[in-house]
Amino acid sequence: MGRDEFSRRRRQLMRIIGKEGIAILPAAPVRYRNGSVEYAYRQDSRFYYVTGFTEPEAVAVLVPGRPQGEFLLFVRERDPLRESWDGDRAGPEGAVERFGADDAFPITDIDEILPGLMEDRARIYYSMGAHADFDPKVLGWANGLRDHARLGARVPQEFVSLDHVLDDLRLYKSRAEQVSLRRATAISVAAHRRAMRFV
């Protein structure tokens, strides 16, 4: 899938969310088999569907109508030493250049930046329960905004399940997705036929 396809998906999602909402999508966490041995990393399907970003320790935020940029990514910073062990990282600059983020920040800055993005939004679109380690962070940011509400600021009053919205969007395939599905099907058919010749 090209950048245009991911951009199209984000536009569709933001149309549904509207200017009263904010969507927060965390990447899949790294899973450990034992000790410091990791399983092969697989990105969260919903996160990938919207961003195309394949690294862990990332959070995508969609803020429809935000003048400074609607699609933000929080990602790991570049680190040559860690990259020699774990593979290349895009870093904030790569998140903008290669993945089409309007703006990108180090993941370590998320506590300072994300609560401010949630202000003046009526609804938070988030998949509660899908990432148990991340749920307390989102709840903490939302609860922290209550003090602002006492001072007259408008803060989110509602959580909306992002699962249902994204799963519904994923049912309808674009031309690019249909081409990919046909190609995958053709490869599968050819592999099965080849296997049957040897059986």
Side-chain angles (χ1 to χ4, degrees):
M1 295 288 146
R3 271 178 62 167
D4 289 345
E5 182 66 20
F6 293 109
S7 178
R8 180 193 65 78
R9 292 170 180 174
R10 287 191 296 272
R11 283 194 309 272
Q12 279 186 302
L13 180 55
M14 285 192 280
R15 224 175 288 126
I16 294 167
I17 292 169
K19 293 186 179 181
E20 296 284 300
I22 181 171
I24 302 169
L25 297 95
V30 172
R31 303 279 184 208
Y32 291 92
R33 187 169 55 219
N34 54 16
S36 61
V37 180
E38 300 172 2
Y39 283 106
Y41 184 71
R42 183 186 183 281
Q43 187 57 275
D44 178 86
S45 297
R46 294 181 184 105
F47 181 90
Y48 183 80
Y49 179 80
V50 172
T51 66
F53 195 76
T54 56
E55 297 177 25
E57 295 180 61
V59 176
V61 181
L62 299 177
V63 194
R66 181 175 176 264
Q68 305 93 323
E70 299 175 309
F71 170 42
L72 292 84
L73 275 173
F74 292 86
V75 300
R76 300 176 300 180
E77 290 191 85
R78 300 293 311 271
D79 180 340
L81 178 61
R82 288 307 318 161
E83 289 178 60
S84 68
W85 288 95
D86 304 328
D88 291 340
R89 296 180 178 187
E93 297 81 15
V96 172
E97 292 168 14
R98 296 184 1 227
F99 296 93
D102 296 318
D103 211 345
F105 306 95
I107 190 69
T108 51
D109 293 348
I110 196 166
D111 290 325
E112 287 77 44
I113 297 171
L114 189 50
L117 297 170
M118 294 164 70
E119 284 188 45
D120 292 325
R121 299 283 159 165
R123 290 175 298 283
I124 298 170
Y125 287 79
Y126 175 72
S127 300
M128 195 64 71
H131 299 282
D133 294 345
F134 196 75
D135 291 354
K137 282 184 160 292
V138 177
L139 291 171
W141 294 324
N143 288 332
L145 291 174
R146 288 184 181 173
D147 291 337
H148 296 258
R150 289 188 198 104
L151 299 171
R154 187 167 162 241
V155 297
Q157 298 296 315
E158 181 182 6
F159 274 93
V160 180
S161 175
L162 190 55
D163 294 358
H164 301 305
V165 177
L166 274 175
D167 291 348
D168 198 44
L169 274 179
R170 291 174 66 192
L171 288 175
Y172 303 95
K173 306 300 182 192
S174 68
R175 284 194 185 111
E177 289 171 313
Q178 290 174 32
V179 167
S180 289
L181 287 169
R182 285 190 190 99
R183 185 167 181 269
T185 302
I187 291 168
S188 252
V189 167
H192 278 83
R193 285 182 175 158
R194 184 165 183 246
M196 285 189 291
R197 280 200 300 271
F198 293 98
V199 174

